[in-house]
């Protein structure tokens, strides 16, 4: 592999270099110059090579990927494989021999192996399990049975077990004989009796302590732990909160069954964030693993349809309500020109409040008991914004549009009321959702704007009929 | 500290226990029963204690926090301090003696110390620096001078340096004498000549290798590195991509100046996500560090006003455009009832597309060169959705509203056109923003809905005048 001892590049220069190399690799592969492509690829580390293979698969198809994948050094190819997305792994598995599959699976870390097996079709999994030693087969089956998206499905059973009575020297010797080379080695677990977790001790504590210190003197017993059935969102929260590199996972009897390491959590956080953002944008997707471009148009349409149908019904009701004010509208047709302004302002101010509250709830900055603080804050904010925006609009209506003062007053007054309502709806609805156990992210733009559209148009037209003295 | 050897609780039970204990601590502190409060607090680890202190500060004020903070064991109090939010740290610093400040700062890890100094007022920083040895003062000043939000401001200079020619035994001995106990020890850095970074070697490789192996045999030279001036968003991307525990930071001459560790990155990812989500919801905040409840109402109003003013202007233009169709509207006043439907559908379908594209760009699933793929996909999706929704609306208008077929046709036809336009605007605008170097997150709901409102109302009323044969 190339050495980095030329002048250091910043991130932008590195990305540009990577893009150029990627183009060159694609064109060499397209021309079936495999050795030429391999030469450039090997300048990069395994994560980057995985990214290159993803592009090759997208652009040139699976055959070229398999040829170049087979040309990678064996140990590199296994690691590259572990960094590929699930569906790309399945495509490669389907194109290589059983012998190559076995080699890859044997070399993978246990948690990566479980991830791959979860993606593969059942008949291939059975074939693989047939060739696995009985003890490991049992363990694999246990892991495959944990519900997806829980701590049990994220953990690895590869961890270092120590005894309280060991000295540091004995502990380090034990670690050396176990010989694991991954991030799993940095926290060691001290068990009591059979499998009950007693405490944890970090490798750094062991390495920096005197050889004859006892493990029991170094271990922490106030460790943080996860339950196998804790949801992956809670797992991610625990890592964010404590900043640990690994957290032990125990079953209901406090027996240590595995550990979750921080490197697997980054992906989870990204998936959970994507889910939140999509829901806030009115998209109901059930797999955040799949990329936008890989999802078919019918699936995309299906993910978007529920919210659109809901909103259509809401907007129909709004239309029916507006139709009740036909008398006002037909007498002062110019009122129609300001309807979008009122509805849009309601939707936008409501969305702002909802966005902040949803995010605040999700990062634990806002608690359900803060509800009155939120109301009081949004009330004051909406009065400030209401005054500024309605003054601005009033002047524009009188001076530029040359409408009557009564029309200006109608718009200005209803705008203040609309903003107050919208901010309160936007602030309270996410909290109410959380209270009854519904995801607050569902109370973003689509829901808020549907509700505020309805409220805004009624407030506006009702105010108009009062100020302009038109009987309904 | 308490031991966890009772029956294991799941996350929910633990959170409930924590909330109960927190209530009890608050009520004991309120009654000035400090020893009683301390007793419960010490059941928890430093991160949890920091969370408790935050609550105490919010509920009971800074005096009680300082009393209880002083009653914590010295080593616990320093760590707790490092987990507190910046403004809470400043409040405590202002309430304790210089001697106590010096003690805390001396004990903090270097990167935490820099974080605290960045938050403190200049006169206090000067006083602290006066008492600092010259060498360290120089280093602190260098670190304080890196721009905020870049790799230089996130890194710590506390790392382990090794020589290529060391054996594993010598390397481990060197680590032991350096005696760092934090996560910084897990990757060691091999320098060449003066300070040029040559390679990295993991502590796990050292611990599991034979004592007489040379460091040069274990080290990786294809390491990933950051530049001191890389933006924190790029730093977070690198951690997400590679899953490393630490990444070395070099200056333009490839000299190692510090390392960034993964535990500091979680916060950055959270801040960057918050910024994206807020921008997508139309809030322009400049400090994602501050919590919703801690931000004053004028600041909140200021963060929300720019988008609201922009949207008001856009909605005014939409209103002026609608006024051009006064003739159509006054002849067929029922058309007004369907205006919100068309505008709402445009806004919502556009937001859905924009949300997916913005997120796809941000997690690197979508590339600028995919623009035609996005267009083609959104086009097909919008035809499917357009047909379903317009059929649904057509039937409702004819059957339930008992309107004429021509009105039904007007709404149905313009709905298909509106959805196609909205999906294309939603898909293309974020990509165009990225192309010209603007944050795609700004092209979410507020921008998209302002544009689609304008386009939708014109398409609708123009279609109406054509189908209903009314001259404009």
């Amino acid at each position: 592999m190339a050495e980095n001892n030329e002048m250091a590049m910043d991130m932008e220069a590195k990305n540009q270099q990577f893009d150029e190399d990627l183009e060159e690799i694609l064109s060499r592969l397209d021309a079936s110059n495999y050795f030429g492509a391999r030469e450039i690829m090997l300048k990069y580390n395994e994560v980057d090579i995985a990214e290159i293979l993803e592009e090759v698969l997208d652009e040139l198809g699976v055959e070229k990927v398999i040829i170049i994948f087979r040309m990678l050094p064996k140990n590199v190819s296994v690691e590259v494989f572990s960094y590929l997305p699930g569906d790309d792994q399945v495509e490669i598995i389907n194109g290589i021999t059983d012998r190559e599959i076995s080699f890859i699976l044997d070399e993978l870390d246990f948690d990566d192996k479980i991830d791959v097996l979860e993606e593969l079709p059942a008949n291939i999994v059975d074939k693989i399990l047939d060739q696995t030693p009985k003890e490991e087969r049992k363990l694999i089956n246990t892991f495959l049975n944990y519900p997806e998206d829980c701590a049990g499905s994220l953990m690895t059973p590869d961890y270092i077990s120590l005894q309280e009575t060991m000295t540091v020297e004995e502990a380090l010797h034990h670690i050396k004989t176990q010989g694991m080379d991954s991030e799993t080695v940095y926290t060691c677990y001290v068990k009591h009796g059979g499998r009950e977790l007693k405490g944890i001790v970090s490798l750094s504590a062991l390495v920096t302590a005197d050889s004859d210190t006892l493990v029991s003197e170094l271990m922490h017993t106030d460790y943080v732990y996860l339950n196998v059935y804790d949801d992956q969102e809670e797992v991610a929260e625990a890592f964010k909160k404590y900043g640990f590199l690994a957290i032990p996972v125990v079953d209901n009897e406090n027996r240590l069954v595995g550990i979750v390491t921080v490197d697997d959590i980054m992906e989870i956080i990204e998936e959970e964030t994507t889910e939140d953002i999509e829901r806030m944008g009115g998209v109901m997707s059930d797999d955040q693993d799949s990329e936008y471009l890989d999802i078919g148009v019918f699936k995309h349409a299906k993910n978007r349809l529920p919210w659109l149908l809901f909103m259509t019904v809401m907007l129909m009701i709004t239309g029916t309500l507006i139709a009740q004010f036909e008398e006002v509208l037909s007498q002062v047709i110019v009122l129609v020109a300001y309807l979008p302004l009122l509805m849009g302002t309601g939707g936008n101010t409501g969305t702002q409040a909802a966005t902040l509250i949803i995010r605040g709830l999700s990062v634990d900055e806002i608690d359900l008991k803060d509800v009155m603080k939120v109301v009081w804050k949004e009330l004051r904010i909406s009065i400030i914004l209401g005054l500024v925006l309605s003054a601005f609009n009033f002047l524009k209506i009188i001076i530029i549009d040359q409408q009557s003062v009564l029309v200006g007053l109608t718009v200005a007054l209803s705008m203040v009321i609309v903003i107050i309502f919208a901010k309160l709806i936007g602030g309270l609805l996410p909290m109410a959702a959380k209270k009854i156990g519904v995801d607050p992210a569902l109370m973003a733009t689509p829901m808020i704007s549907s509700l505020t559209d309805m409220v805004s148009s009624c407030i506006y037209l009702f105010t108009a009929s009062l100020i302009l003295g038109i009987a309904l």
Side-chain angles (χ1 to χ4, degrees), chain A residues 6 10 41 75 138 172 175 180 188 232 285 290 323 377 406-407 416 418 420 456:
Chain A
E6 64 276 24
D10 64 12
M41 276 167 80
N75 58 330
K138 223 174 108 188
L172 285 174
I175 294 170
M180 275 178 275
C188 305
Q232 67 174 14
S285 167
S290 302
K377 202 169 268 278
L406 284 185
V407 170
V416 176
V418 161
I420 292 174
S456 310

Side-chain angles (χ1 to χ4, degrees), chain A residues 3-4 46 78 98 104 122 200 259 292 324 327 370 392-393 422 433:
Chain A
E3 301 193 7
N4 275 326
E46 288 80 357
V78 171
D98 287 358
I104 291 177
I200 63 173
I259 62 170
Y292 170 87
Q324 309 307 308
E327 194 54 36
D370 297 323
F392 180 67
N393 279 290

Side-chain angles (χ1 to χ4, degrees), chain A residues 318-468:
Chain A
T318 304
T320 310
L321 291 172
I322 290 175
Q324 309 307 308
F325 294 93
E326 205 179 310
E327 194 54 36
V328 185
L329 287 171
S330 58
Q331 281 191 35
V332 193
I333 193 82
V334 69
L335 288 176
V336 178
Y338 302 114
L339 186 59
L341 178 65
L342 271 302
M343 284 173 45
T345 306
N348 292 320
T349 51
T351 295
Q352 289 179 329
T355 301
L356 291 170
I357 301 299
I358 292 168
R359 184 64 186 162
L361 289 170
S362 133
V363 298
D364 271 333
E365 283 180 14
I366 299 174
D367 214 78
L368 285 185
K369 68 176 166 44
D370 297 323
V371 59
M372 285 319 294
K373 289 186 196 163
V374 169
V375 168
W376 177 227
K377 202 169 268 278
E378 289 300 324
L379 190 65
R380 286 175 296 161
I381 297 168
S382 50
I383 290 171
I384 297 171
L385 292 174
L387 292 177
V388 174
L389 290 175
S390 60
F392 180 67
N393 279 290
F394 179 78
L395 292 175
K396 189 257 178 186
I397 290 169
I398 305 289
I399 298 170
I400 300 182
D401 297 353
Q402 308 240 321
Q403 297 293 337
S404 72
V405 174
L406 284 185
V407 170
L409 268 183
T410 302
V411 173
L413 180 61
S414 40
M415 184 164 278
V416 176
I417 304 174
V418 161
I419 292 177
I420 292 174
F421 265 89
K423 289 281 184 209
L424 292 182
I425 292 175
L428 289 176
L429 223 52
M431 301 188 84
K434 178 151 188 180
K435 178 86 188 168
I436 60 169
V438 170
D439 184 355
L442 294 173
M443 300 300 135
T445 314
M447 176 61 101
I448 300 292
S449 70
S450 309
L451 281 177
T452 55
D453 278 356
M454 203 178 282
V455 175
S456 310
S457 46
C458 289
I459 291 174
Y460 172 51
L461 295 172
F462 187 72
T463 309
S465 69
L466 282 184
I467 290 186
L468 303 174

Side-chain angles (χ1 to χ4, degrees), chain A residues 180-231:
Chain A
M180 275 178 275
D181 62 351
S182 63
E183 55 284 344
T184 51
V185 83
Y186 292 127
T187 318
C188 305
Y189 301 87
V190 185
K191 290 200 239 174
H192 186 74
R195 292 170 56 196
E196 195 190 313
L197 182 57
K198 179 82 181 173
I200 63 173
V201 57
S202 69
L203 182 60
S204 69
L206 291 173
V207 166
T208 52
D210 289 328
S211 331
D212 53 358
T213 312
L214 285 177
V215 166
S216 60
E217 296 171 50
L218 297 173
M219 81 180 178
H220 288 265
T221 52
D222 62 332
Y223 55 85
V224 170
Y225 63 90
L226 296 163
N227 185 291
V228 266
Y229 293 108
D230 278 334
D231 185 82

Side-chain angles (χ1 to χ4, degrees), chain A residues 18-31:
Chain A
F18 181 79
D19 288 344
E20 282 167 21
D21 283 342
L22 180 60
E23 281 310 311
E24 181 59 27
I25 289 168
L26 287 172
S27 83
R28 288 187 186 184
L29 282 179
D30 201 29

Side-chain angles (χ1 to χ4, degrees), chain A residues 93-143:
Chain A
I93 290 272
N94 286 330
I96 60 180
T97 65
D98 287 358
R99 207 194 161 101
E100 286 169 314
I101 298 177
S102 295
F103 174 78
I104 291 177
L105 287 173
D106 280 351
E107 294 293 314
L108 282 177
D109 287 342
F110 191 87
D111 52 341
D112 290 330
K113 189 186 299 190
I114 294 295
D115 288 344
V116 173
L117 290 173
E118 277 173 347
E119 295 286 339
L120 289 175
N123 58 332
I124 299 188
V125 174
D126 288 345
K127 216 164 71 182
I128 292 166
L129 286 182
D130 279 348
Q131 297 159 13
T132 311
K134 195 176 164 211
E135 261 315 294
E136 197 185 337
R137 192 161 66 223
K138 223 174 108 188
L139 196 58
I140 290 176
N141 272 318
T142 313
F143 272 66

Side-chain angles (χ1 to χ4, degrees), chain A residues 9 11-27 40 43-44 48 51-52 55:
Chain A
M9 287 185 282
M11 195 58 81
E12 213 170 310
K14 274 187 277 185
N15 288 340
Q16 204 182 329
Q17 177 68 47
F18 181 79
D19 288 344
E20 282 167 21
D21 283 342
L22 180 60
E23 281 310 311
E24 181 59 27
I25 289 168
L26 287 172
S27 83
I40 313 179
K43 287 204 308 189
Y44 287 95
D48 292 320
E51 200 177 325
I52 294 169
E55 284 293 322

